[in-house]
Amino acid sequence: MALVTSTEMFKKAYDGGYAIGAFNVNNMEIVQAITEACREEKAPVILQVSKGARAYANHTYLVKLVEAAVIECPEIPIVLHLDHGPDFETCKACIDGGFTSVMIDASSKPFAENIEITRKVVEYAHDHGVVVEAELGTLAGIEDDVKVAAHAASYTRPEEVEEFVSKTGCDSLAIAIGTSHGAYKFTADQCTRNEKGILVPPPLRFDVLEEVSKRLPGFPIVLHGSSSVPQDYVKMINDNGGKMPDAVGIPEEQLRHAAELSVCKINIDSDLRLAMTGSIRKFFNEHPDKFDPREYLKPARANIKELVRHKLVDVLGCAGKA
Ligand code: G3H
Ligand code: 13P
Ligand code: ZN
């Protein structure tokens, strides 16, 4: 199967009450780990590339790695998506350069400007058979070099979504309902602590999601910042020389519930980073004499694969849907 757009995937996900996993890719091991798990679990998948990933690995290398995965995993549909496209030029470069989906993220701009930039990207993308994700509302956390403090984040305003979607023609909409980018999603004073002393974040705003869905029936909604920050990996990092106190994520049962509603795409990046970093730290701690990258990247890749499998089966509900 060649690369596909997300149109058909989202339609089935919406009707079936599950979500597609959108995982960020930056190198070969991550592409392999994600797509091997998806092939084995027969899950459709979105591989997404950020501005930072393009700067790190180079556009062509990433496209060719994803094309290799398409050849190796012919049974599953794969979307190649630009994550957080910062401007028209970056979106155009990805549309011209083999992507099947782009996100234009003008969510930090005033409403009218967000509409104007998004519409321009949609016109160009649709002319080239590519679909567009846009964003309304502001998530807390860090994307590339943009850091949004928790107090500066704002939930999506449901009363704006119909005008935004009809004026831009976007194909899916990312909304802010309390998720946040990175491993440190919430400050300690936004959370309570459970009996183990682990921070428990405030619940997602399902009332906002439901109001948005009521106004946009059948329309695919996207959640960014949806890593759950597995405490096993935080512990593995901290037990092996790392220092990540109070890293906390979105509870998986809340993501599962969102996937049963109108959320068709759930973005997960930080969890994969934690699995990779924890695995490599543990390997070096246990084998201080080793220096072959293949030896320490192998367990990292295997652990990312198992983590992705868990997300597909237990969180997203998309296993067996390819
Ligand atoms: O939302 C951002 C993604 O986690 C990508 O992160 O910009 O560091 O590549 P990055
Ligand atoms: P996390 O940092 O929660 O993994 O979010 C990733 C994301 O939203 C990528 O766009
Ligand atoms: Zn994001």
Side-chain angles (χ1 to χ4, degrees):
M1 197 182 297
L3 282 175
V4 298
T5 72
S6 48
T7 307
E8 196 61 26
M9 269 184 203
F10 286 168
K11 202 179 168 324
K12 287 187 188 162
Y14 197 102
D15 294 342
Y18 62 89
I20 311 295
F23 302 100
N24 288 69
V25 296
N26 292 278
N27 63 23
M28 181 188 76
E29 286 75 11
I30 298 174
V31 172
Q32 290 175 328
I34 297 165
T35 53
E36 280 177 23
C38 291
R39 179 166 50 77
E40 288 175 17
E41 294 301 329
K42 299 183 176 43
V45 68
I46 298 172
L47 298 178
Q48 53 187 19
V49 167
S50 69
K51 176 184 158 194
R54 289 176 84 237
Y56 169 73
N58 169 303
H59 177 96
T60 309
Y61 278 94
L62 290 167
V63 170
K64 295 297 167 193
L65 285 172
V66 172
E67 286 175 0
V70 169
I71 293 169
E72 290 296 319
C73 307
E75 317 88 340
I76 57 166
I78 301 178
V79 173
L80 175 54
H81 173 76
L82 169 66
D83 189 28
H84 292 288
D87 49 40
F88 175 80
E89 288 68 32
T90 309
C91 292
K92 181 176 182 304
C94 290
I95 293 164
D96 296 345
F99 284 46
T100 53
S101 174
V102 294
M103 175 189 192
I104 174 69
D105 182 358
S107 60
S108 61
K109 306 268 194 280
F111 185 66
E113 209 179 321
N114 189 353
I115 289 180
E116 196 185 323
I117 298 168
T118 303
R119 189 172 50 204
K120 188 174 170 195
V121 172
V122 168
E123 277 168 14
Y124 190 81
H126 285 184
D127 277 351
H128 293 78
V130 169
V131 293
V132 179
E133 173 186 329
E135 180 166 333
L136 262 186
T138 317
L139 269 70
I142 302 169
E143 296 157 15
D144 274 323
D145 40 5
V146 182
K147 187 170 181 200
V148 181
H151 64 79
S154 57
Y155 297 116
T156 302
R157 292 156 52 86
E159 58 275 25
E160 290 183 345
V161 299
E162 292 149 288
E163 183 184 352
F164 185 83
V165 168
S166 69
K167 285 193 172 162
T168 61
C170 66
D171 302 281
S172 60
L173 184 66
I175 62 168
I177 60 165
T179 60
S180 165
H181 287 107
Y184 301 98
K185 296 186 184 300
F186 306 98
T187 58
D189 46 325
Q190 288 177 296
C191 302
T192 51
R193 280 191 194 271
N194 69 13
E195 61 287 353
K196 288 183 190 152
I198 308 270
L199 293 177
V200 178
L204 296 181
R205 290 286 304 272
F206 281 101
D207 57 322
V208 174
L209 174 61
E210 277 167 23
E211 191 54 39
V212 166
S213 313
K214 225 182 271 171
R215 290 165 186 262
L216 296 174
F219 195 79
I221 300 301
V222 178
L223 285 190
H224 282 247
S226 296
S227 275
S228 296
V229 187
Q231 293 302 305
D232 289 356
Y233 281 120
V234 174
K235 185 171 179 333
M236 191 185 284
I237 290 170
N238 290 335
D239 285 350
N240 290 283
K243 201 174 180 188
M244 296 193 69
D246 288 348
V248 65
I250 311 297
E252 288 186 336
E253 57 280 7
Q254 291 185 36
L255 297 170
R256 182 73 203 100
H257 183 50
E260 285 161 2
L261 303 173
S262 56
V263 171
C264 295
K265 172 175 182 271
I266 293 189
N267 287 11
I268 298 171
D269 182 15
S270 298
D271 284 355
L272 276 47
R273 295 180 182 196
L274 292 165
M276 185 155 214
T277 301
S279 308
I280 293 173
R281 279 192 177 279
K282 181 167 183 281
F283 181 91
F284 280 136
N285 215 11
E286 290 172 355
H287 307 281
D289 56 323
K290 303 264 190 193
F291 64 100
D292 182 340
R294 292 170 299 187
E295 290 190 81
Y296 60 82
L297 290 173
K298 210 169 166 183
R301 182 174 58 188
N303 283 339
I304 295 173
K305 180 175 168 182
E306 289 318 306
L307 182 61
V308 170
R309 189 194 307 282
H310 160 67
K311 299 285 180 184
L312 303 173
V313 173
D314 302 318
V315 182
L316 302 157
C318 62
K321 306 295 186 185

